[in-house]
Amino acid sequence: MAVKVDVITIFPRMIEAGLAEGVVGRARTAGLLDIVVHNLRDFTTDKHHVVDDVPFGGGPGMVMKPEPFFAALAAIREQRGTPDAVVLLTPAGERFTQDGARRLAAIDHVVLLCGRYEGIDERVREALATEEISIGDYVLSGGEVPALAVIDAVARLVPGVVGDDQSVEADSFTRGLLDYPHYTRPAEFDGRKVPDVLLSGHHGEIKKWRRETALARTVARRPDLLADAALDADEREWLKRSKS
Ligand code: 4GX
C-alpha cells in the first residue's frame, strides 16, 4: 500500500508546510503517501521539554540528547510497526543521488531523523540509524530541509504520485543526463525565437534535437555524469564526433 514515512524533528511545522503543497501534498491527500511528523519535544519527560545539552568534553554549541530520539522511535515502532530504514540526515552521510531516491522509494517504511545544533548524541547514530544521508557539501542549520528534499525526490518515484509516468521517465537524471531546453508560447518573445525545429512538427527531428541539446549541455556543464549515463549507439557516436 502507501509508502510510510515518519519524520522526527523539533520543527514539525516546517516539515508539514513543506509537505502540504504540490505533488507531495496531493499524494498525501490521495493516500499514496502515509507521512507522520513527530515533534521531538513530545518525547521529553522534563517540565521544559529540553532536547539539547552541553557537549561532554566541552566545546561550542549544544548537542541533542539521546533519550527523546529513543522514545520517539519506540513510539513509532508501537504505532506504525518496525521501520525498514532509519535515516539520519547529516553532512557526514552518503551523498544523496537519484539512485538513492530510487532505492528508498522501494522501501515500505522509512524514518527520517532531523538534527539541529552541533549534532545528535552519537548513541542515536549507533543504535537507531541504519544509514546516514547528506544532500550535499554545504552546512545547513538542521536536517529538516534535507528531509524535505529526500521525501520530495522519493515521493515522485512512487507510482501514481506524479500523474504522468512519462514525465518521470523524461526527467533529467532518469537517463543520467541533464534536461533539454523547454519552450512554450509565444513563439517569439522580446526578440527571442523558439528554435524552428520545435515548431516544425517533425517529431523525429524534435527528438533528435532534444537528445543532442541534452547531451551537449551535459558535456558542457556536468561531464562527470556521462560515465554512468544510459546512452544509445547514436548518442555515443554524437559524443565521439563532438570531441573532435
Ligand atoms: N545534508 N546539516 C544536520 C545537525 C546535525 C549534525 C550531525 C545530525 C548529525 C546536512 C546536509 C546539514 C547541518 C543537517 C547539521 N545533525 N544534512 N545538522 N548538508 O548540513 O544533510
Side-chain angles (χ1 to χ4, degrees):
M1 250 291 298
V3 171
K4 280 205 280 195
V5 179
D6 289 81
V7 184
I8 303 175
T9 171
I10 61 167
F11 294 126
R13 286 178 305 184
M14 189 175 169
I15 300 288
E16 289 290 3
L19 297 178
E21 310 292 332
V23 160
V24 173
R26 227 171 308 123
R28 283 185 90 185
T29 311
L32 293 167
L33 298 174
D34 173 9
I35 307 176
V36 177
V37 185
H38 306 267
N39 187 345
L40 187 68
R41 290 193 199 279
D42 292 345
F43 300 94
T44 54
T45 52
D46 64 304
K47 187 164 110 204
H48 298 289
H49 303 287
V50 173
V51 294
D52 61 338
D53 204 342
V54 295
F56 272 125
M62 298 294 273
V63 175
M64 296 187 91
K65 294 162 62 62
E67 303 96 316
F69 282 100
F70 280 76
L73 237 307
I76 288 169
R77 283 207 178 85
E78 282 190 12
Q79 297 161 18
R80 310 256 294 159
T82 298
D84 304 295
V86 178
V87 178
L88 175 62
L89 288 315
T90 163
E94 183 181 334
R95 178 69 67 80
F96 189 57
T97 63
Q98 192 63 24
D99 276 340
R102 280 189 275 260
R103 185 176 58 75
L104 289 182
I107 295 178
D108 295 324
H109 185 189
V110 178
V111 175
L112 301 174
L113 307 180
C114 304
R116 285 263 152 181
Y117 316 115
E118 300 310 308
I120 306 178
D121 186 283
E122 182 68 6
R123 291 162 290 191
V124 171
R125 190 191 63 74
E126 279 174 8
L128 300 182
T130 61
E131 55 183 290
E132 295 166 71
I133 289 178
S134 164
I135 64 160
D137 293 340
Y138 34 80
V139 182
L140 299 168
S141 48
E144 286 77 12
V145 165
L148 286 170
V150 167
I151 292 169
D152 193 277
V154 170
R156 318 185 54 270
L157 299 176
V158 172
V161 167
V162 173
D164 185 357
D165 284 355
Q166 282 186 340
S167 162
V168 175
E169 198 86 347
D171 272 336
S172 163
F173 287 122
T174 297
R175 297 180 59 241
L177 294 177
L178 299 183
D179 210 353
Y180 53 77
H182 298 267
Y183 293 90
T184 185
R185 288 177 286 190
E188 183 175 342
F189 173 71
D190 210 9
R192 296 169 189 275
K193 288 190 164 133
V194 173
D196 282 333
V197 62
L198 298 179
L199 310 178
S200 71
H202 292 132
H203 294 296
E205 288 298 308
I206 291 169
K207 205 170 161 191
K208 182 160 167 269
W209 180 87
R210 286 178 169 167
R211 280 166 33 164
E212 288 180 3
T213 53
L215 212 41
R217 277 198 168 174
T218 309
V219 169
R221 300 184 189 187
R222 293 295 307 278
D224 58 298
L225 295 177
L226 292 167
D228 295 324
L231 300 182
D232 64 21
D234 284 358
E235 289 165 331
R236 290 186 190 288
E237 186 54 38
W238 185 94
L239 243 191
K240 244 197 291 177
R241 266 188 288 120
S242 80
K243 280 178 191 161
S244 60

